[in-house]
Amino acid sequence: MHLAYPVVLSALLFCTGLYGVLARRNAILVLMSVELMLNAVNLNLVAFDVWLSRTAEETLHSGQALTLFTITIAAAEIGIGLAIVLAVHRNRGTADIDKLRDTAEGHETDGPESPDGPEDPAAAEEPGRPERSEKAEATA
C-alpha cells in the first residue's frame, strides 16, 4: 500500500477534528474532536513507522511506541476533561462554551434586569455558589 492513502485519510480526520474544535459549542463535542485529531496523528505515526522500517530495515518501531504513548495521554486527557466538564455543568447548568465564557467575563445573558439591579437579592447570587457568611464578608 502506498504511503499516500493513510496520509490522506489522516489529513481528512485531522481537518474534521479541527472543524469540530472551531465550530462546536458543546464542550464534550470539542473533546471528541480533539480525540479525532489525536487519532489522525496516531495514524500518521504508524504509517510512517511502517514505511521507514521497510526502507531502512529498522526493527525498532518507534512510531508504534509513540502511538501507544499518545493513546495513553489521550485516555488521561479525556478522563480529566470529562471530569471538568461534568463539574462545570453541575455548577453552571450548561456545557455551552460561549455561555461559560460570558459567565466568566461577567456578562449577564439570562434576561433584562431593572437599572436598579435585581429586585430579589437572592436572585443576584450565582447558582451553585454558597452564600457568604457575615464573618467571611467582615474579613474580606
Side-chain angles (χ1 to χ4, degrees):
M1 179 167 53
H2 292 265
L3 183 62
Y5 297 133
V7 169
V8 168
L9 179 62
S10 92
L12 289 174
L13 277 175
F14 192 86
C15 289
T16 303
L18 185 64
Y19 173 75
V21 167
L22 295 176
R24 299 291 177 189
R25 294 174 189 235
N26 190 342
I28 294 175
L29 292 177
V30 170
L31 285 173
M32 289 174 60
S33 298
V34 169
E35 290 296 320
L36 267 179
M37 293 167 62
L38 287 173
N39 285 332
V41 170
N42 288 340
L43 182 61
N44 262 338
L45 283 171
V46 171
F48 277 101
D49 179 52
V50 168
W51 182 66
L52 287 175
S53 67
R54 284 184 189 166
T55 58
E57 299 299 326
E58 177 188 325
T59 59
L60 186 59
H61 297 296
S62 57
Q64 293 178 15
L66 283 173
T67 298
L68 288 176
F69 181 71
T70 307
I71 289 170
T72 306
I73 295 298
E77 175 256 337
I78 200 71
I80 292 172
L82 281 176
I84 291 170
V85 168
L86 287 175
V88 167
H89 187 271
R90 185 178 301 141
N91 288 336
R92 304 287 181 167
T94 184
D96 188 2
I97 294 174
D98 290 335
K99 289 182 182 176
L100 293 175
R101 185 176 337 146
D102 290 342
T103 305
E105 293 173 355
H107 300 285
E108 287 294 327
T109 59
D110 293 340
E113 291 184 0
S114 66
D116 300 331
E119 295 176 16
D120 183 17
E125 296 292 327
E126 293 183 22
R129 292 270 186 136
E131 294 182 19
R132 296 180 70 182
S133 66
E134 292 177 11
K135 183 178 178 183
E137 288 178 2
T139 60

